Amino acid sequence: MELARLPVRRIALRLGEGIDSTLLVLMLALSMLGLLALFSASYENPARVASQLMNLAVALAAMWLVAQLPPQTMMRFAVPAYVIGLAFLIAVGLFGDVVNGARRWLHVGVTLRR
């Protein structure tokens, strides 16, 4: 029975390798405080908190994936990513939707229903 759990334990150790546990605990504690504040401010609406928790999980997964990239790879893509970011900012200024007198968001043809 112990041998069956060995590969799972090895995989878990490999995935958690190099993670600063103190920083992770502090970040999760702050996130939980934020979720509690959201729950209180949203008139105890669990659907809103669940949606935010899903966003948090996606963000954590994205942060972990980016942290697995070698620094040289990130340096190679830094300038193109910066130029693309500036292009998007200019595009919002020129083509963004106007809502309540403020120009924001690029309309890409997808509408989300809530």
Side-chain angles (χ1 to χ4, degrees), residues 62-81:
M63 287 186 333
W64 183 83
L65 286 173
V66 170
Q68 301 308 307
L69 293 174
Q72 294 81 9
T73 303
M74 287 193 276
M75 287 190 295
R76 191 173 335 146
F77 290 112
V79 172

Side-chain angles (χ1 to χ4, degrees), residues 88 91-92 95-97 104-112:
F88 276 133
V92 167
F95 309 112
D97 289 341
R104 49 185 139 167
W105 300 109
L106 289 174
H107 182 66
V108 292
V110 177
T111 56
L112 298 175

Side-chain angles (χ1 to χ4, degrees), residues 1-2 4 7 11 16 18 20 24 26 36-37 43-44 46 52 54 73 86 92 94-95 100 103 108-109 113:
M1 192 67 135
E2 184 69 82
I11 291 170
D20 185 358
L24 180 65
L26 288 173
L36 285 172
Y43 300 106
E44 299 181 3
Q52 191 67 19
M54 179 74 84
T73 303
L86 284 178
V92 167
L94 296 175
F95 309 112
N100 295 331
R103 185 171 302 273
V108 292
R113 296 182 188 203

